[in-house]
Structures are given as C-alpha cells and as structure tokens.
Amino acid sequence: VDSILEELRAPRERVAFVGNDVNDLPAMSRVGVPIAVADSTPSVLAAARFVTRTVGGGGAVREVADAILAARRESSEVRRVA
C-alpha cells in the first residue's frame, strides 16, 4: 500500500481499501478510508470506517464504487450551488 500511495502521490486520507479478513488489516491501517464487506471477520469490521450492506463476492465492491461516485456527484452539486 505504501508504495502505491507514493507512486500515485495520493494522500492517505483520500484512499480507500476494501477488506474482509485479518490479512487485510495492515493495508486497512494505512489508508484513510478502511472499508469492510458485510461478512468480514470481527477484527476487520472493528477496523473499518464503513461497512458494506453486501457480502464479499455479492457486489460489495460495486456498492463501494457506486457510493464513491454518488458522493462525488453530491460534492459537485454543492460546489455549483455555493
């Protein structure tokens, strides 16, 4: 994760990681938006800032992508009005 952040010059607080098991915890701790899928292990659910409604393999990543796109649209609308 660190090398990807460095290569993309992405600030940690603007990077998300979706995980479901204990092997994902190190990466989740290095990003600003740790996300767990609904059927994650308890330790991953505890580490997550957001939890999907959908289980892993059932469209959870699509749910996350849709939420990010919706938030970007809303943010864009707020800027236009302001």
Side-chain angles (χ1 to χ4, degrees):
V1 172
D2 292 331
S3 62
I4 293 170
L5 293 172
E6 187 176 315
E7 182 179 329
L8 296 175
R9 297 184 185 160
R12 291 177 194 278
E13 63 273 3
R14 296 195 50 136
V15 175
F17 184 91
V18 180
N20 71 330
D21 209 342
V22 294
N23 63 309
D24 296 317
L25 289 170
M28 291 176 75
S29 72
R30 289 183 174 88
V31 299
V33 188
I35 302 169
V37 297
D39 59 343
S40 295
T41 61
S43 58
V44 171
L45 292 169
R49 215 166 128 196
F50 298 98
V51 178
T52 65
R53 288 186 230 88
T54 314
V55 298
V61 173
R62 176 59 179 247
E63 180 184 333
V64 170
D66 287 345
I68 291 169
L69 292 172
R72 290 187 68 160
R73 282 191 300 274
E74 289 175 21
S75 175
S76 175
E77 290 300 318
V78 168
R79 282 190 215 129
R80 283 190 213 143
V81 173

